[in-house]
Amino acid sequence: MTSFEIRQLGIEGAVEFSVPVYRDSRGLFTSPFQLGAFDAALGHGLFPVKDISHNVSARGVLRGIHYTTTPPGRAKYVYVPHGRVTDYLVDLRVGSPTFGRWEQTELGGGDRGKALFIPMGVGHAFLAQEDDSIVVYVMSEGYEAANELAVSPLDPEIGLPIPRVPRPEQSERDSAALTLAEAGKRGLLPDYATCVELEAKLWH
C-alpha cells in the first residue's frame, strides 16, 4: 500500500489522509483513496457510493459552508486533483462534543496529496487559491436540492480565518446564508446522535 499518513482531526469523526505525489517530466501520479488506509482510520471500508461530483473554481471563489439535512444526511470523501484550495470543516451537529469547532486544511498542490473524510452533519467550505481548482466529492447519498443547506462562512461566531479584503466571490445563496446562531434558532442544524446513528447504518 502507498505510504498514507492518517490524521484524526479535532472534529469528532473527521479524518485527513495524506499520500505522496510522484512527479516527473510527464506530469504526476498519486492515489487519493486506498481501501486499506480508510479501513485503518475508521475500522471499515468506504461507504456505498451513490454520487461522485466535482466543481471548478476560479481563484478567490468561496463555497460553503454546505451541509445536508439529517436525515437523510451525506457522508463525503473530498480531494483536489488540480489546483489548490484552503478547505474548512465546521462541526454543525448539535450535541456533538466538538460542536462549533472548525478545522483548516490545504488541499491540492505540494508533494503530498490530501483527502478528507467528512462525517454526516459536518459542514464543508473552501476558498480557491488558484484558478481552475477542482474539488471532487464522493458521497453516500445523491443530491436533492431541498436537503442542501448553508451556514455563512463569514459568521464571526464561527471565526473562520477567511480574508474580508478583497471580499471572496460567493454565490447569492452562500452570501445570504444564515449565521450559526440563526440556523440553530430555526432548528435547521443536524442532531449529533441522529448523524452518528444514520452514518453507522451506511456499513450495515
Side-chain angles (χ1 to χ4, degrees):
M1 182 178 69
T2 301
S3 177
F4 260 88
E5 293 178 2
I6 300 170
R7 183 167 72 100
Q8 302 287 337
L9 299 180
I11 292 175
E12 178 72 26
V15 182
E16 176 192 279
F17 298 87
S18 178
V19 65
V21 178
Y22 302 100
R23 302 176 186 269
D24 61 24
S25 60
R26 301 167 300 166
L28 64 80
F29 174 85
T30 190
S31 183
F33 172 80
Q34 291 185 20
L35 182 62
F38 199 91
D39 184 64
L42 288 109
H44 47 66
L46 184 65
F47 47 75
V49 176
K50 294 187 179 179
D51 189 309
I52 300 178
S53 303
H54 74 264
N55 55 43
V56 182
S57 300
R59 184 175 185 271
V61 167
L62 176 61
R63 298 181 189 262
I65 304 167
H66 297 155
Y67 66 103
T68 304
T69 57
T70 308
R74 290 208 288 181
K76 302 175 182 178
Y77 191 76
V78 174
Y79 66 95
V80 174
H82 184 270
R84 183 171 60 90
V85 309
T86 301
D87 195 277
Y88 304 96
L89 302 185
V90 183
D91 194 344
L92 305 176
R93 302 167 296 182
V94 176
S96 167
T98 55
F99 175 76
R101 186 177 299 176
W102 57 267
E103 285 275 349
Q104 175 180 322
T105 305
E106 297 296 314
L107 299 182
D111 294 327
R112 294 194 72 85
K114 292 184 179 180
L116 299 172
F117 171 70
I118 307 174
M120 286 186 183
V122 173
H124 178 250
F126 70 83
L127 178 65
Q129 301 293 351
E130 297 178 4
D131 286 335
D132 299 322
S133 290
I134 299 173
V135 179
V136 176
Y137 304 83
V138 180
M139 293 174 283
S140 65
E141 291 291 337
Y143 175 81
E144 292 288 345
N147 294 334
E148 297 305 311
L149 301 175
V151 168
S152 174
L154 303 179
D155 179 0
E157 180 184 352
I158 297 173
L160 297 181
I162 297 172
R164 268 54 171 184
V165 180
R167 187 178 178 89
E169 182 178 353
Q170 295 177 277
S171 67
E172 290 185 12
R173 171 200 174 202
D174 286 350
S175 62
L178 301 174
T179 65
L180 182 65
E182 290 169 340
K185 289 178 181 178
R186 298 188 189 187
L188 297 176
L189 297 177
D191 173 70
Y192 174 70
T194 301
C195 289
V196 171
E197 179 183 357
L198 290 175
E199 192 171 293
K201 290 180 179 179
L202 293 176
W203 290 276
H204 298 288

